Structure formats: structure tokens, C-alpha cells
């Protein structure tokens, strides 16, 4: 669960995760096995350092250095906060922008009308292209599998990830009819 990972937006010590990776590295487990993090933020990798985190596999919906659009937005974010943005930061920005576009298109601030317009409109922002908000509220978008680079492979600040695969949105999320959401049951 994201909430119990880091309380400060991804920039403090992420205790259990960081300790587990450090211990795996210290005890040589990292060399003989691959580690994969279920919820890993780039701030976690930064806190660990590339020497300890190299080779770690992770999935994310956003990487600041993936596209020109993401880089431009991230550079503005870094200039203001002095921190690299996580998928939570980019996702929050994208969600607010999508809401504002939908409210403008709906011509109202009425919650149900704006929500319907949000589901109707495709999500296209700095981290999501061709995304769709389902009736159950899930944003369905492509996800990405990354491997953390070695210190030698990193060429500039926050150059931490190598893209290994794109997981198409149709495969990245459980189908709505298997989710059990009471909002969509007939």
C-alpha cells in the first residue's frame, strides 16, 4: 500500500524497503537473485544509491526521463522542489489537469457530470497516453518495467532506470468484471 511506504511524498527514509535492499546487497543475495520491488519510487533508489540499488527490477507508470514532455515537466518540478518527481507527483498533476479539462468540457463543477466527462475523455498527459478511466474509477494505462542502472551506466543526475518492457494497459490491470467493485455491479 502506498500510504505506509513514505509519509512525506517519497523523500524520507523508506525504512523496510530500503533496509531490505541494503541487507540483500550486504549479504550477497542481490548477486545471486534478482530483487523486484512492488512499489518503488525513484526517491527510494536515490536514497539507496545506485551502488546498492543496481539491478533492482520495478514497475512504474512514470519515469521523469522517459519522454521530452516528461523531462520538461520534471525539470520545472526539480527547479521548484529540488527533488526528482515520483509517479505520485506526476499522477497527481495529471489527475488535477484531467479534472480541470473535464470540468471545462462539461461546463459545470457538478461532481457527477464532471466525473462522467472524465470517464468519457481519454487521458493524455505527461505520463499517460490514451488512458481511460473505467466506471470503477481505475485509470487504465500502460505500465513500464525498469531495471535500476549501475553507477557506471548512469550518465547524469537521476539517470537511474533502464526501460525493459512496456506492459500494455489491457494487460497491466485486472479486468473490471473481475474486480468486485460494487459500483459497477448490476
Amino acid at each position: 500500500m502506498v500510504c505506509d511506504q513514505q509519509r512525506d511524498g517519497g523523500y524520507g527514509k523508506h525504512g523496510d524497503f530500503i533496509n531490505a535492499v541494503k541487507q540483500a546487497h550486504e549479504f550477497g543475495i542481490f548477486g545471486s537473485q534478482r530483487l523486484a520491488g512492488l512499489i518503488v519510487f525513484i526517491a527510494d533508489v536515490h536514497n539507496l544509491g545506485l551502488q546498492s540499488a543496481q539491478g533492482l527490477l520495478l514497475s512504474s507508470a512514470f519515469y521523469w526521463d522517459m519522454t521530452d514532455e516528461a523531462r520538461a515537466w520534471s525539470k520545472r518540478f526539480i527547479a521548484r522542489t529540488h527533488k526528482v518527481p515520483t509517479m505520485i507527483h506526476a499522477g497527481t498533476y495529471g489527475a488535477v489537469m484531467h479534472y480541470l479539462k473535464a470540468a471545462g468540457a462539461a461546463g459545470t463543477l457538478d461532481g457527477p457530470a464532471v466525473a462522467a466527462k472524465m470517464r468519457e475523455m481519454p487521458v493524455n498527459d505527461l505520463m499517460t497516453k490514451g488512458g481511460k478511466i473505467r466506471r470503477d474509477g481505475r485509470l487504465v494505462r500502460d505500465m513500464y518495467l525498469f531495471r535500476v542502472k549501475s553507477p557506471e551506466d548512469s550518465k547524469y543526475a537521476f539517470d537511474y532506470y533502464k526501460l525493459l518492457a512496456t506492459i500494455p494497459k489491457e494487460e497491466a490491470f485486472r479486468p473490471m468484471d473481475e474486480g468486485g467493485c460494487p459500483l459497477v455491479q448490476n
Side-chain angles (χ1 to χ4, degrees):
M1 184 174 221
V2 174
C3 299
D4 67 333
Q5 296 244 338
Q6 295 188 19
R7 300 173 204 271
D8 64 349
Y11 290 97
K13 296 283 183 184
H14 173 173
D16 293 342
F17 172 75
I18 289 175
N19 288 336
V21 173
K22 284 182 178 179
Q23 288 174 351
H25 193 274
E26 179 181 330
F27 294 118
I29 295 170
F30 217 135
S32 61
Q33 297 181 28
R34 287 192 168 186
L35 294 182
L38 297 178
I39 297 179
V40 179
F41 298 111
I42 195 167
D44 299 327
V45 173
H46 185 73
N47 284 335
L48 278 165
L50 289 179
Q51 186 63 40
S52 294
Q54 65 183 320
L56 176 71
L57 299 175
L58 61 106
S59 65
S60 183
F62 175 77
Y63 176 46
W64 78 271
D65 199 21
M66 223 167 124
T67 66
D68 289 340
E69 184 180 15
R71 271 187 291 282
W73 181 84
S74 296
K75 286 181 182 183
R76 292 190 309 271
F77 184 94
I78 292 166
R80 286 180 176 221
T81 66
H82 307 288
K83 298 175 183 177
V84 64
T86 69
M87 68 178 157
I88 301 300
H89 298 116
T92 300
Y93 177 84
V96 170
M97 294 306 293
H98 190 69
Y99 167 82
L100 293 172
K101 289 176 191 173
T108 182
L109 295 179
D110 175 64
V114 175
K117 187 57 81 171
M118 289 176 75
R119 287 188 298 274
E120 178 185 310
M121 296 171 55
V123 177
N124 290 301
D125 59 34
L126 66 127
M127 70 184 274
T128 303
K129 301 297 178 217
K132 179 78 175 149
I133 300 174
R134 299 186 315 201
R135 284 186 310 144
D136 63 356
R138 165 77 63 196
L139 171 57
V140 179
R141 61 173 159 224
D142 291 346
M143 295 292 292
Y144 306 98
L145 176 65
F146 296 103
R147 181 176 54 235
V148 175
K149 293 180 175 183
S150 69
E152 300 77 35
D153 289 335
S154 178
K155 304 299 181 210
Y156 42 87
F158 306 119
D159 177 28
Y160 294 163
Y161 296 169
K162 176 181 174 142
L163 178 64
L164 299 180
T166 299
I167 304 148
K169 60 184 164 242
E170 297 81 12
E171 297 174 22
F173 297 92
R174 176 176 39 195
M176 189 168 55
D177 62 351
E178 293 176 15
C181 177
L183 297 174
V184 295
Q185 293 179 0
N186 295 332

